[in-house]
DNA sequence: ACAAAAGTGTTCCATATACACCCATGT
DNA sequence: ACATGGGTGTATATGGAACACTTTTGT
């Protein structure tokens, strides 16, 4: 019985939620896109394996990472019994190798990776209401419009600007800096996560 | 690398949340209490393994069951690399072998099972707000006072009777039956989960 | 009659929602 | 001057929290 980790790495590109896929070079599913992942080392924690695989396959170093679910259907891998511990991760910018796809338009995936990806997307949506997970997709300093855009990309719907700003401010989870971002139009104040 | 499942089985006894433990008959941790669980079969799904282990070690047949988290610290089992997929389960009554302990007063546990148990308790508390998970700890027909008692046992705090009943009724998740439970005092109306 | 649990409404506060205009800047 | 995104307030609806008394039954 073997154990793997697979990671659903999200980022925002062009105001849309994307995830990273790698093209498989070997059988099974050779040539298909798959989630980055692979076998867990004999003396390696699951978290460490997920971090290592992200680094090896995508070059990404420091991201928010959280265990998602463990998929163990006996038939999920044609090579035999492979149980995978799925993670999801959030990358602030776009630093990586590999290929990004909008979550609304994924190619066919290897194994049960489509199910894993959908599960991760759902979890991300749910977490957004309760936590500060949105900040993980932004650089250290960001404008409130950027933060709103992240939320809209994850939820897939538009939000009211005034209500959004009030909620964020009243939660006390950001603090304004004294810097302003040149936007080409009216400058926007930069905020920092508290 | 081997994979096990462990199950945190909850029930309510004497108005308190309890969980089931079994005494280990073999090394390591011989004589200590542990969560019911064991190795996953080569051709068995994770859910099936959890259900089987519950049946084998506790006699419990039909319970609510949900995957919790996968614990994979390389040092968590002194025998070598053992990754465990933890589940939690909810049993309506008290049908089983094994020994029940109030969650507030657990004995020392084998492996990292204390961490697993605490994690399960926390998850149960969180889920209570959002889902109908409380019904899984009751028989098919129950009084609203019984349902409130379940919620209080899980949350570890008392709730206001009127507010509780209004919230449950307005959510539309129960429907009254025409039966009444003899309580020794004023009879209580029985409800059913919708 | 008394003890014990069942049952029932209203007020108040906090949070969510709906909604429109002015401002600062670059071209 | 105009186009673009930044920034701001109020009114309403909804959900949660606090709070006390009457009813029915068994002893």
């Amino acid at each position: 019985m073997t154990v793997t980790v697979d990671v659903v790495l999200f980022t925002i590109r062009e105001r849309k939620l994307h995830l990273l896929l790698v093209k498989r070079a070997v059988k099974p599913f050779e040539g298909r896109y798959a989630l980055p992942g692979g076998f867990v080392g004999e003396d390696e924690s699951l978290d460490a394996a997920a971090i290592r695989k992200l680094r090896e396959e995508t070059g990404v170093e420091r991201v928010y990472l959280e265990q998602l679910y463990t998929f163990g259907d006996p038939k999920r891998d044609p090579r035999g019994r492979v149980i995978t511990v799925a993670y999801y991760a959030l990358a602030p910018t776009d630093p990586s190798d590999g290929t990004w796809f909008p979550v609304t338009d994924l190619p066919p995936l290897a194994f049960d990776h489509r199910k894993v990806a959908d599960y991760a997307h759902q979890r991300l949506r749910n977490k957004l209401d309760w936590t500060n997970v949105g900040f993980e997709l932004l650089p250290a300093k960001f404008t409130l419009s950027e933060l709103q855009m992240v939320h809209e990309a994850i939820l897939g719907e538009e939000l009211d600007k005034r209500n959004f700003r009030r909620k964020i401010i009243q939660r006390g989870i950001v603090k304004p800096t004294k810097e302003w971002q040149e936007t080409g139009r009216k400058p926007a104040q930069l905020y920092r996560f508290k």
Side-chain angles (χ1 to χ4, degrees), chain A:
Chain A
M1 193 166 308
T2 51
V3 178
T4 59
V5 291
D6 287 305
V7 184
V8 185
L9 175 63
F10 291 105
T11 201
I12 307 280
R13 303 180 119 205
E14 295 155 6
R15 309 176 76 88
K16 283 186 182 162
L17 188 65
H18 285 63
L19 58 83
L20 186 146
L21 298 172
V22 294
K23 207 164 206 164
R24 284 183 62 81
V26 297
K27 295 192 175 187
F29 295 104
E30 187 178 349
R32 275 236 187 164
Y33 283 104
L35 298 171
F39 297 103
V40 175
E42 192 60 41
D43 199 45
E44 178 183 50
S45 76
L46 299 171
D47 290 7
I51 291 166
R52 175 176 60 81
K53 275 293 163 189
L54 264 185
R55 185 168 13 93
E56 287 177 5
E57 299 198 10
T58 74
V60 169
E61 280 287 349
R62 262 187 283 276
V63 294
Y64 176 83
L65 185 78
E66 187 180 306
Q67 197 190 105
L68 181 66
Y69 196 79
T70 298
F71 296 84
D73 181 348
K75 302 219 175 346
R76 61 173 293 283
D77 190 320
R79 291 167 295 188
R81 188 66 194 274
V82 180
I83 289 167
T84 194
V85 183
Y87 282 77
Y88 73 98
L90 306 175
T93 50
D94 178 12
S96 50
D97 318 336
T99 321
W100 295 96
F101 290 85
V103 294
T104 51
D105 191 21
L106 297 178
L109 299 185
F111 307 107
D112 53 359
H113 285 185
R114 177 57 190 254
K115 193 160 84 176
V116 178
D118 288 344
Y119 197 95
H121 186 196
Q122 188 58 47
R123 172 80 66 94
L124 184 57
R125 267 191 294 252
N126 292 340
K127 261 206 109 105
L128 195 59
D129 292 339
W130 300 101
T131 68
N132 303 328
V133 82
F135 299 104
E136 307 293 343
L137 289 159
L138 288 170
K141 294 172 192 166
F142 49 86
T143 68
L144 293 184
S145 291
E146 288 168 341
L147 182 59
Q148 179 175 348
M149 184 270 294
V150 166
H151 281 243
E152 289 174 337
I154 293 173
L155 297 174
E157 60 183 319
E158 299 203 343
L159 302 172
D160 180 90
K161 201 201 310 193
R162 285 163 294 184
N163 293 339
F164 178 79
R165 290 162 106 95
R166 185 180 30 240
K167 183 156 52 168
I168 295 294
I169 300 292
Q170 285 182 186
R171 279 195 192 171
I173 51 184
V174 296
K175 64 163 179 263
T177 68
K178 281 169 185 153
E179 296 169 71
W180 297 76
Q181 186 171 86
E182 307 287 328
T183 60
R185 302 301 173 191
K186 179 173 178 178
Q189 189 162 20
L190 286 167
Y191 287 75
R192 178 188 298 281
F193 178 45
K194 233 195 281 191

